[in-house]
Amino acid sequence: MHFAHRLSLACRLLWAAPCSLVGLLLGAVLLALGGQCRRVQHTLEFTRFSSTPAPASPWARLPWQGITFGHVILGVCAPTLQAIRSHEHVHVRQYECWGIFFFLAYPLASLFALLAGQRPYRDNVFERAAYEQQDEG
């Protein structure tokens, strides 16, 4: 890997590190519950199940399939996380740009969408960018 590329990666990892720490703490909870962790590119992915949970499981009824904190992606199960990986990697890049400020920017984007009469999740500018990338992939 070229020096400039390594330096750029190190800076992006450090800039997002406070957010990644939150993800690591939550990932530790998933591990304590019997989950798994794997490295994919420059992220750590934590999942609770290796296969899709039963529909009656409370895990199957969560309002989200995956959530990203810095360079840590949390998901209910490995198959679903694989399906939404491109979406979550857009959020990783957003954390690399915004750093800790993403924790403020994301809810503000939802608030602005709501005040504009839009859907606070799906019309959040960060989610729109992630869904566009997911749909292209």
Side-chain angles (χ1 to χ4, degrees):
M1 193 182 302
H2 190 267
F3 174 75
H5 182 72
R6 282 189 295 219
L7 181 60
S8 172
L9 175 61
C11 289
R12 288 180 281 135
L13 288 168
L14 286 172
W15 181 240
C19 306
S20 298
L21 181 59
V22 172
L24 288 171
L25 294 172
L26 294 170
V29 172
L30 287 179
L31 289 177
L33 294 171
Q36 297 108 19
C37 176
R38 64 182 276 206
R39 191 178 132 211
V40 176
Q41 297 172 355
H42 299 293
T43 66
L44 289 177
E45 293 183 352
F46 292 87
T47 55
R48 171 59 185 92
F49 301 103
S50 58
S51 60
T52 306
S57 166
W59 292 92
R61 293 189 304 265
L62 287 174
W64 50 270
Q65 299 174 22
I67 189 166
T68 300
F69 294 95
H71 288 89
V72 177
I73 302 170
L74 308 172
V76 174
C77 65
T80 299
L81 202 52
Q82 181 176 346
I84 64 170
R85 184 170 288 130
S86 63
H87 177 104
E88 297 305 327
H89 277 252
V90 173
H91 291 313
V92 170
R93 290 189 296 279
Q94 292 166 344
Y95 275 103
E96 289 175 348
C97 291
W98 288 84
I100 192 79
F101 300 106
F102 192 70
F103 282 162
L104 179 61
Y106 186 95
L108 282 176
S110 289
L111 178 62
F112 291 150
L114 183 64
L115 293 175
Q118 299 174 327
R119 300 166 294 182
Y121 171 74
R122 188 65 180 192
D123 293 320
N124 176 310
V125 295
F126 297 108
E127 288 301 330
R128 281 200 322 250
Y131 278 107
E132 285 172 14
Q133 177 70 31
Q134 180 179 339
D135 293 341
E136 289 173 8

